[in-house]
Structures are given as C-alpha cells and as structure tokens.
Amino acid sequence: MGSYLQASWDNDAFQLRARNTSDRYYTNGIHVKHFSNYWHKWPTRYVLLKLASRVGQSYSYRYDFGAGQEIYTPKNLTIRNRPLYPNDHPYAGYLYLSWGLTSSDPVKGRKLTSQFILGVIGPLSGAAEVQQQFHLAENFKTPMGWGTQMPNDPAVSYFVRYENRLVPQFSPVFDIIGRVDANLGMLSNYASMGTVLRFGLFNDYFQSATGLYNSSAGRPHRRVQLYTTFGTSFRAVLDNSLLQGGWFNGAHNYYALPAVELKHFLGLIDWGVAAAYKNVQFSFNQTLQTSEFKNGLDHQWGRFSLLFYCGR
C-alpha cells in the first residue's frame, strides 16, 4: 500500500479576490500528515473509529500521523494594548499532533475518518514568533498585540467525518458526495453537514484515503488526474476556545470574546483544483466563511497542498 506525505500551507493572502486580501482572523496555517499503516502500531488506534467489517467485503484502512500550527489575529495589527471586547478576533496560536484513521468502502461509496488530537493554544504554540519573523523577513507591518494573546491551555479534541456518495456515479467525470462531521473537545465543539461536487478526470474518491493508486493495486487506475471541486457546508458551533479562551486559563485573558459575541451558525463555501501524475498530486483550494462573531467580517483563505508517495 505504501506511505504518503502531505504538506499544506494555508494563508489569507492566497485568495483570488485580491482587492479583499486580508491579514486577519485565520491568517496562516502549516499542516503535515504522514499516511502509513506504521501508525497502526501506536496505542492511539484503540480510540479511532472505523467502518465495521462485513462478510465478503474488504475495506481500505489507512492510518496517519499529523502535526500543524495555526495563527489567528485581529484586523488591526498595529495596536499594542487593545481595548476590551473590541468586536474583533483575539490573538491566538494553536499547535497540535494528530493520529487518524480513514476507512474506505469502494463498493457502497462510503468513507469514515476519525482523528484524536493533542494540542495547545497560547504562547507554547510559537505562533507569535513565527508571524513576527515572517513579517520581518517580508517587510510587512509588525504585529504589535501578541502580548494580549490567549494564555496557554490544553486543547484535546476528537474529530469524526462520514462521507457517502449521494447519487450513483452515472458519469466517470462527475461525482456528488455528502458529508457530515463533528469536533468534540477542548478546542471547539461543532457539527457540520454539506456536499462536495467533483468534475474532471479523477480516480474514485472512495477507493483509498489518498486517491493516488499504483498500477499493482488491482483497481481502476488513472495515471493523470485533473479535476475541480466545489463544496458547501453549514456548521453549528457550541463554543470556540480560539475566540473565547481555553477551558482552564481562558478567564484570565480579558481580550477573549464573551460567549454572547459568538455566532453559533456559520456557512462555508470552498472550491479547488487538483492535478496529479502517478503518485504525486498538487492542489489549490479557496475557502470562504461567514462571520464567526458579532460585527465580524466574512473571511477567505487559500491552501496549497502537495501529496506524494514516500516509500513502503
């Protein structure tokens, strides 16, 4: 089956609406993930969900390990001592490790993904240093308010996503996929539902966790893939520690938003393009999200992602 490595870079400068390019809210994210059944050896496998096996059916199971950092800032980066409750996003950083499992059912067109995530928000995330050094290197304005960021807090979470082909695949170049997901824990509690449309030349989404197959896998195999995706989703949010502060020390940050400022229903739209040759894939995605808090703005960011085969 082999191992695969995926590296992704999110930034709110990677957007096509250049006139609205921002440096606010979710402003940067780096994510790395290693897909390999080596991670099946770790005890985290006992907390991961998978599709139940059935007689006469075989599913594809792929474990993974990931790490990442996310950076969040307000609209105005030039204020050192911000006013209380400014109807703006607090400074916040998030650093995490994740262990996951993806179960794929190519016959019925189903996929179940689960992740156990250990993270931290606050100065330990290193977000302030990363953004300050990046802005200094690129001669951007210096973010002045990191002294008001969320204090250190653990952020242990559990993520689950279920996906299913909504309409029988009547065309090899068009597919409609429905998805529901939920995140539970100390970072944020929410549930989402939505759909994803795929157009173009692609391998079956439900045949593996990566979509990159080798010719010895005994499955329909397309060496060259070129396709676009379009998705919409609706999210109900109970809480968000990146806005409200963590469970233990959040009350000690007077710049966190009160619970009454939080918007509990969000809409998201994303679209992207992907190109792959054999076991290498490059993709670019755009995400537009409605405001997360009162008097906030909608927000858009882009993602560049590289996925490739890295060994047995």
Side-chain angles (χ1 to χ4, degrees):
M1 298 177 66
S3 299
Y4 293 82
L5 187 66
Q6 183 178 47
S8 303
W9 183 14
D10 302 345
N11 197 284
D12 55 354
F14 302 155
Q15 55 172 282
L16 301 183
R17 299 190 306 172
R19 59 187 175 85
N20 290 331
T21 297
S22 61
D23 197 0
R24 64 170 189 259
Y25 305 167
Y26 178 42
T27 186
N28 191 78
I30 299 293
H31 311 273
V32 179
K33 183 176 290 186
H34 181 230
F35 295 89
S36 172
N37 281 333
Y38 164 80
W39 301 109
H40 176 263
K41 303 175 184 178
W42 284 58
T44 48
R45 70 183 186 272
Y46 293 113
V47 300
L48 299 174
L49 300 176
K50 63 181 181 180
L51 294 173
S53 59
R54 297 180 180 179
V55 177
Q57 285 190 315
S58 61
Y59 299 148
S60 169
Y61 299 110
R62 180 60 60 92
Y63 290 82
D64 63 74
F65 171 75
Q69 181 197 62
E70 297 178 359
I71 301 174
Y72 298 82
T73 62
K75 292 182 294 184
N76 191 338
L77 302 181
T78 63
I79 301 176
R80 185 180 299 273
N81 297 311
R82 300 167 54 228
L84 297 181
Y85 310 140
N87 294 318
D88 206 346
H89 202 301
Y91 282 89
Y94 173 50
L95 186 70
Y96 71 88
L97 301 175
S98 68
W99 292 263
L101 170 62
T102 301
S103 308
S104 303
D105 178 0
V107 176
K108 293 190 175 181
R110 302 182 299 157
K111 185 179 286 189
L112 178 65
T113 303
S114 58
Q115 286 184 319
F116 174 65
I117 307 164
L118 293 177
V120 63
I121 61 175
L124 285 176
S125 71
E129 292 78 9
V130 169
Q131 188 182 51
Q132 289 167 348
Q133 290 301 315
F134 180 79
H135 278 224
L136 179 64
E138 296 296 325
N139 199 28
F140 294 160
K141 57 187 177 183
T142 303
M144 303 297 294
W146 276 106
T148 67
Q149 72 169 302
M150 298 295 186
N152 289 321
D153 247 309
V156 181
S157 300
Y158 197 90
F159 175 82
V160 179
R161 169 174 287 170
Y162 178 78
E163 299 167 286
N164 189 65
R165 179 172 287 125
L166 295 180
V167 178
Q169 196 172 9
F170 56 87
S171 169
V173 298
F174 179 74
D175 209 0
I176 304 177
I177 299 166
R179 60 174 51 166
V180 293
D181 55 57
N183 193 81
L184 304 173
M186 304 171 77
L187 181 70
S188 180
N189 289 276
Y190 67 79
S192 305
M193 63 182 302
T195 58
V196 177
L197 282 66
R198 305 174 89 217
F199 307 89
L201 304 175
F202 48 75
N203 289 315
D204 188 352
Y205 179 75
F206 296 100
Q207 287 197 348
S208 77
T210 65
L212 299 180
Y213 314 135
N214 58 58
S215 57
S216 62
R219 297 167 176 164
H221 172 72
R222 188 184 294 275
R223 289 176 177 267
V224 177
Q225 299 184 73
L226 183 61
Y227 60 92
T228 183
T229 61
F230 179 79
T232 59
S233 59
F234 175 80
R235 177 174 295 177
V237 181
L238 179 62
D239 57 23
N240 186 342
S241 292
L242 294 168
L243 289 169
Q244 302 170 262
W247 282 24
F248 297 107
N249 297 315
H252 302 303
N253 187 312
Y254 299 105
Y255 298 93
L257 293 181
V260 294
E261 297 289 324
L262 191 70
K263 286 192 175 180
H264 294 284
F265 301 99
L266 310 177
L268 296 98
I269 297 175
D270 61 84
W271 68 269
V273 293
Y277 178 68
K278 292 185 177 179
N279 287 312
V280 178
Q281 177 175 281
F282 178 79
S283 61
F284 174 68
N285 291 81
Q286 290 274 287
T287 300
L288 175 63
Q289 178 181 273
T290 60
S291 172
E292 295 183 279
F293 51 91
K294 293 180 180 178
N295 298 320
L297 304 173
D298 65 0
H299 188 46
Q300 185 171 349
W301 65 90
R303 165 175 288 193
F304 288 101
S305 184
L306 178 65
L307 173 66
F308 58 93
Y309 177 81
C310 62
R312 296 183 178 180

